[in-house]
Amino acid sequence: MEILWVLIALVILGFVVLPFMRRRRGMIEQVPPGHPDAADPANYGFVRQEELDVRMPGPDQDLLDVLDLVQRTQDYRAASQLLAGTEAEGELRWQRVQAFAGAASLELQQRPGGVSESPGGQWLRVWRTEQPKDAGGAAVHAEFLVQQAWRTATPGTDEFRIIMEEARSACADAALLAPGDPIPYIIELSVARGLAYPRSEFEQLWLKILDRAPAHMGAHLAALHYWCEKWHGSRALANDFAEAAAARAPQGSLLAAMPLFAVFEHLPEVNLVSGFYQSEVVTKAIHGALYAVHSARPDDPMLAHVRHLLVFFLVRGERWAEAMNQLIHVDGHVGALPWTLSPDPAAEFAVYRALAVAGYEANGGSPATLPH
């Protein structure tokens, strides 16, 4: 196994030694297309790199259809109807709120507007103006402001604080429109991180979410950031939060995978030692995530998030067959950690996929032996 990894590393090192050393979280640089060591995804039925969807972690055709309609017509009504028909306490509605807000934010960035054209995301402003009591529109607007703050301003600056304070008010407005809905409070978790809420205030916010959706995976992932060392906590506090979530996870919940996300959030800037990914701490977190994946409903909207992170750790840990088993479930969509941290998520995912294929075949695997 060590020999295989060395051979793979030597090939990559020859092309990208300096960029590789600069990459965060031990990411691997892309093998150039056409290189003899680049795996052909077509052999396994995998989607070609240029066709990978970077918008979402997994398929949601209803959302894609509505997003296309809204952006093409600039009419918000289909988005309003989709959210109104999506369960308030579930993971799917949270993902859809994020997607609509992200689409509006990206539109505004690409088309800020001017004398001769209207700004991008105009449909969201019209939505809020025409339907001020629409809880879905209020939630999307609050999330839009949060994404704008992180996208356009630097934490700690007056500009960032002003946008975040506006987002905080928008969260309160959205909460009033839907008292039992956890999403306005989940959105506020990002505000709490950006504005550095005191721990007592953050914990009060967290209790409001637990009262409404105690097993909400998306909420737990958002809260984990606050407790991380790089924000307002520490490695120990983040691990404690993740372990507590996993311990109280109901049967079939993906919360058992939380420790793996905590490990990921505290990876060293650069780590070229494969043994780290085979350590007891990482192995235990991987096993917890694998258990969560095997126990979860096949249609759980958060399942793809866990599978994507497993691909990263399983490849790093040289567990090729297990990595391939995750890839067959998520291939085609790459809008999830860890790929979204890269300037080119599709390329990052494609390299890990190629490494998984190379390791799998070096150990006797083939398209014929890969279960689907």
PDB file of all heavy atoms in Angstrom, residues 169-182:
ATOM      1  N   SER A 169     -31.601  41.140  11.848  1.00  0.00           N
ATOM      2  CA  SER A 169     -32.972  41.660  11.880  1.00  0.00           C
ATOM      3  C   SER A 169     -33.878  40.863  10.949  1.00  0.00           C
ATOM      4  O   SER A 169     -35.046  40.591  11.277  1.00  0.00           O
ATOM      5  CB  SER A 169     -32.981  43.136  11.485  1.00  0.00           C
ATOM      6  OG  SER A 169     -32.259  43.914  12.409  1.00  0.00           O
ATOM      7  N   ALA A 170     -33.341  40.486   9.786  1.00  0.00           N
ATOM      8  CA  ALA A 170     -34.124  39.695   8.829  1.00  0.00           C
ATOM      9  C   ALA A 170     -34.454  38.317   9.396  1.00  0.00           C
ATOM     10  O   ALA A 170     -35.540  37.781   9.155  1.00  0.00           O
ATOM     11  CB  ALA A 170     -33.357  39.559   7.520  1.00  0.00           C
ATOM     12  N   CYS A 171     -33.527  37.739  10.163  1.00  0.00           N
ATOM     13  CA  CYS A 171     -33.799  36.449  10.811  1.00  0.00           C
ATOM     14  C   CYS A 171     -34.946  36.582  11.810  1.00  0.00           C
ATOM     15  O   CYS A 171     -35.825  35.711  11.895  1.00  0.00           O
ATOM     16  CB  CYS A 171     -32.545  35.939  11.532  1.00  0.00           C
ATOM     17  SG  CYS A 171     -31.225  35.365  10.451  1.00  0.00           S
ATOM     18  N   ALA A 172     -34.939  37.679  12.571  1.00  0.00           N
ATOM     19  CA  ALA A 172     -36.014  37.908  13.547  1.00  0.00           C
ATOM     20  C   ALA A 172     -37.354  38.072  12.848  1.00  0.00           C
ATOM     21  O   ALA A 172     -38.381  37.538  13.300  1.00  0.00           O
ATOM     22  CB  ALA A 172     -35.691  39.135  14.389  1.00  0.00           C
ATOM     23  N   ASP A 173     -37.364  38.785  11.730  1.00  0.00           N
ATOM     24  CA  ASP A 173     -38.600  38.956  10.966  1.00  0.00           C
ATOM     25  C   ASP A 173     -39.108  37.617  10.439  1.00  0.00           C
ATOM     26  O   ASP A 173     -40.307  37.330  10.505  1.00  0.00           O
ATOM     27  CB  ASP A 173     -38.362  39.909   9.788  1.00  0.00           C
ATOM     28  CG  ASP A 173     -38.072  41.334  10.236  1.00  0.00           C
ATOM     29  OD1 ASP A 173     -38.397  41.671  11.389  1.00  0.00           O
ATOM     30  OD2 ASP A 173     -37.504  42.106   9.431  1.00  0.00           O
ATOM     31  N   ALA A 174     -38.193  36.796   9.917  1.00  0.00           N
ATOM     32  CA  ALA A 174     -38.581  35.482   9.384  1.00  0.00           C
ATOM     33  C   ALA A 174     -39.108  34.582  10.489  1.00  0.00           C
ATOM     34  O   ALA A 174     -40.061  33.823  10.287  1.00  0.00           O
ATOM     35  CB  ALA A 174     -37.375  34.835   8.687  1.00  0.00           C
ATOM     36  N   ALA A 175     -38.518  34.665  11.673  1.00  0.00           N
ATOM     37  CA  ALA A 175     -38.965  33.843  12.803  1.00  0.00           C
ATOM     38  C   ALA A 175     -40.375  34.213  13.242  1.00  0.00           C
ATOM     39  O   ALA A 175     -41.179  33.347  13.620  1.00  0.00           O
ATOM     40  CB  ALA A 175     -37.986  33.982  13.961  1.00  0.00           C
ATOM     41  N   LEU A 176     -40.700  35.492  13.193  1.00  0.00           N
ATOM     42  CA  LEU A 176     -42.042  35.934  13.567  1.00  0.00           C
ATOM     43  C   LEU A 176     -43.100  35.412  12.602  1.00  0.00           C
ATOM     44  O   LEU A 176     -44.242  35.141  12.996  1.00  0.00           O
ATOM     45  CB  LEU A 176     -42.096  37.468  13.617  1.00  0.00           C
ATOM     46  CG  LEU A 176     -41.374  38.136  14.788  1.00  0.00           C
ATOM     47  CD1 LEU A 176     -41.383  39.641  14.621  1.00  0.00           C
ATOM     48  CD2 LEU A 176     -42.011  37.727  16.115  1.00  0.00           C
ATOM     49  N   LEU A 177     -42.728  35.264  11.340  1.00  0.00           N
ATOM     50  CA  LEU A 177     -43.677  34.789  10.331  1.00  0.00           C
ATOM     51  C   LEU A 177     -43.923  33.281  10.425  1.00  0.00           C
ATOM     52  O   LEU A 177     -44.927  32.791   9.922  1.00  0.00           O
ATOM     53  CB  LEU A 177     -43.165  35.133   8.929  1.00  0.00           C
ATOM     54  CG  LEU A 177     -43.150  36.626   8.577  1.00  0.00           C
ATOM     55  CD1 LEU A 177     -42.462  36.841   7.233  1.00  0.00           C
ATOM     56  CD2 LEU A 177     -44.574  37.174   8.539  1.00  0.00           C
ATOM     57  N   ALA A 178     -43.002  32.553  11.050  1.00  0.00           N
ATOM     58  CA  ALA A 178     -43.131  31.086  11.144  1.00  0.00           C
ATOM     59  C   ALA A 178     -42.571  30.638  12.489  1.00  0.00           C
ATOM     60  O   ALA A 178     -41.431  30.162  12.565  1.00  0.00           O
ATOM     61  CB  ALA A 178     -42.393  30.417   9.989  1.00  0.00           C
ATOM     62  N   PRO A 179     -43.360  30.769  13.559  1.00  0.00           N
ATOM     63  CA  PRO A 179     -42.846  30.517  14.911  1.00  0.00           C
ATOM     64  C   PRO A 179     -42.241  29.122  15.122  1.00  0.00           C
ATOM     65  O   PRO A 179     -41.318  28.966  15.915  1.00  0.00           O
ATOM     66  CB  PRO A 179     -44.094  30.713  15.786  1.00  0.00           C
ATOM     67  CG  PRO A 179     -44.977  31.611  14.992  1.00  0.00           C
ATOM     68  CD  PRO A 179     -44.749  31.240  13.568  1.00  0.00           C
ATOM     69  N   GLY A 180     -42.745  28.108  14.445  1.00  0.00           N
ATOM     70  CA  GLY A 180     -42.219  26.760  14.645  1.00  0.00           C
ATOM     71  C   GLY A 180     -41.112  26.371  13.695  1.00  0.00           C
ATOM     72  O   GLY A 180     -40.586  25.258  13.761  1.00  0.00           O
ATOM     73  N   ASP A 181     -40.727  27.269  12.830  1.00  0.00           N
ATOM     74  CA  ASP A 181     -39.745  26.978  11.790  1.00  0.00           C
ATOM     75  C   ASP A 181     -38.326  27.162  12.347  1.00  0.00           C
ATOM     76  O   ASP A 181     -37.977  28.256  12.815  1.00  0.00           O
ATOM     77  CB  ASP A 181     -39.969  27.922  10.602  1.00  0.00           C
ATOM     78  CG  ASP A 181     -39.127  27.568   9.393  1.00  0.00           C
ATOM     79  OD1 ASP A 181     -38.213  26.733   9.516  1.00  0.00           O
ATOM     80  OD2 ASP A 181     -39.388  28.142   8.318  1.00  0.00           O
ATOM     81  N   PRO A 182     -37.471  26.134  12.272  1.00  0.00           N
ATOM     82  CA  PRO A 182     -36.098  26.293  12.788  1.00  0.00           C
ATOM     83  C   PRO A 182     -35.187  27.084  11.861  1.00  0.00           C
ATOM     84  O   PRO A 182     -34.129  27.558  12.286  1.00  0.00           O
ATOM     85  CB  PRO A 182     -35.620  24.838  12.907  1.00  0.00           C
ATOM     86  CG  PRO A 182     -36.360  24.115  11.835  1.00  0.00           C
ATOM     87  CD  PRO A 182     -37.722  24.761  11.790  1.00  0.00           C
TER      88      PRO A 182
END
